[in-house]
Amino acid sequence: KKYDEAIEAIEAFLERYPVHARSAGARKSIGDIEFTRGRVSEAIAQWRRCALTYPGTADGAVALLSAASVLEREGSLPEAIAEYEAVLRRFGKFSQAQQARRALSRVREKVLVLTVPRMFTTAEKVQLQLRTRNVEKLSAKLYRVDIEEYFRKKHAVGGVEALATDIVRPDE
């Protein structure tokens, strides 16, 4: 894969034809190549450069949306939010603005995910994994359920989440 040669050829094209109809797409392509190479910060820099250099183009909108998406996946939420907002401000007439609006609402919503990574035996201490976003404070009450006893009474394990916990004291 000749990434360096491709980037050099694109840069030569951009130097020779800076306002060509395909220049914005060419600049965005450099970011795409850098991302493919695993150079995330270089890709983001190229996509931002594309959006600044070609503000009235769909390629500029796509480039800035790409930067925001990658920042979100990398866990840089404040930066991602800033980029999504920039897409709305600077590229509001393009379809990418709607994508940015949806992404902003997704990033700003409260998320709480509690998972049990595997099954535990009764002799083991249970470990839970908790993932939150935009949740400032959390309190929890944990209840131990004897699933065998529950099954004997109900003849199924479905519906365990509907148990009346208000009449039972949580475990310590």
Side-chain angles (χ1 to χ4, degrees):
K1 300 193 178 183
K2 302 176 181 180
Y3 296 125
D4 290 327
E5 291 175 22
I7 290 173
E8 285 176 24
I10 294 169
E11 290 284 3
F13 170 81
L14 290 169
E15 194 172 307
R16 187 166 180 186
Y17 305 104
V19 291
H20 190 276
R22 296 180 188 248
S23 294
R27 174 66 61 197
K28 187 187 90 49
S29 294
I30 294 174
D32 296 342
I33 291 168
E34 294 291 11
F35 184 74
T36 301
R37 294 170 87 172
R39 297 178 173 179
V40 175
S41 58
E42 289 88 347
I44 291 169
Q46 288 296 331
W47 289 326
R48 285 174 172 161
R49 184 174 177 190
C50 176
L52 284 172
T53 309
Y54 306 99
T57 65
D59 285 316
V62 170
L64 199 55
L65 189 63
S66 296
S69 270
V70 170
L71 286 165
E72 180 184 350
R73 273 183 272 159
E74 295 287 314
S76 303
L77 291 183
E79 278 186 89
I81 289 170
E83 296 296 352
Y84 285 131
E85 288 172 343
V87 172
L88 291 175
R89 249 188 345 270
R90 295 167 37 202
F91 298 97
K93 67 180 182 179
F94 294 99
S95 63
Q96 288 75 19
Q98 186 61 32
Q99 291 174 286
R101 196 170 286 112
R102 282 193 303 269
L104 271 172
S105 66
R106 181 187 68 246
V107 169
R108 289 179 172 153
E109 74 184 358
K110 292 183 177 186
V111 175
L112 184 137
V113 179
L114 182 66
T115 57
V116 181
R118 64 179 182 84
M119 300 295 280
F120 293 90
T121 66
T122 54
E124 293 180 293
K125 194 170 192 170
V126 176
Q127 294 181 346
L128 305 173
Q129 292 177 342
L130 177 67
R131 184 176 59 87
T132 64
R133 183 172 61 211
N134 299 330
V135 176
E136 292 179 27
K137 187 177 180 181
L138 174 70
S139 62
K141 295 178 181 176
L142 302 177
Y143 299 87
R144 187 178 313 273
V145 176
D146 185 338
I147 198 72
E148 183 181 352
E149 182 182 337
Y150 181 83
F151 180 78
R152 286 177 191 218
K153 287 181 182 175
K154 302 288 184 177
H155 304 291
V157 292
V160 72
E161 63 277 357
L163 283 172
T165 56
D166 7 341
I167 60 173
V168 181
R169 186 180 275 162
D171 292 333
E172 301 279 325

